[in-house]
Amino acid sequence: METLQVIELRVHLHCKACEKAIRKELCKIKGVRCVEIDAIRKKITVLGHVDRKAVTKAIRKTGRRAEVWPSYPTGTFWLNKHLIS
């Protein structure tokens, strides 16, 4: 059995209909347990026994493009410059 994955993606969402369409496609994927959509941050989080390719393919079916959500290790220059001021 696959391990439980947390997949975080950046997706440009224009309206509630976009959110609904994406949620509907993601929930069709076998193994998806939870879908969280943060329209303000343009972030989609999928929890389940799925792989990233299946999730991005489902999002592409809705006409949207998905990018990997950026993660920055603590202590990096970016954090020091942008978060600690």
Side-chain angles (χ1 to χ4, degrees):
M1 180 179 229
E2 296 177 33
T3 57
L4 194 63
Q5 300 288 320
V6 177
I7 300 169
E8 297 177 313
L9 300 167
R10 179 186 309 258
V11 179
H12 293 282
L13 304 166
H14 298 283
C15 61
K16 290 286 184 186
C18 293
E19 289 181 45
K20 185 177 179 180
I22 290 172
R23 184 180 304 276
K24 182 178 177 181
E25 284 300 317
L26 291 175
C27 289
K28 289 180 185 177
I29 301 171
K30 183 179 178 181
V32 169
R33 288 199 177 169
C34 178
V35 175
E36 292 182 9
I37 298 177
D38 183 341
I40 294 170
R41 294 175 64 202
K42 297 178 171 53
K43 181 178 181 180
I44 294 178
T45 305
V46 179
L47 176 68
H49 298 282
V50 294
D51 73 0
R52 187 178 308 274
K53 286 183 181 182
V55 172
T56 55
K57 184 178 178 181
I59 291 171
R60 272 188 270 138
K61 283 177 71 175
T62 69
R64 301 278 168 244
R65 188 177 57 141
E67 303 168 5
V68 175
W69 185 260
S71 62
Y72 302 99
T74 55
T76 63
F77 173 75
W78 187 90
L79 284 174
N80 291 333
K81 184 176 180 187
H82 293 94
L83 297 180
I84 303 171
S85 17

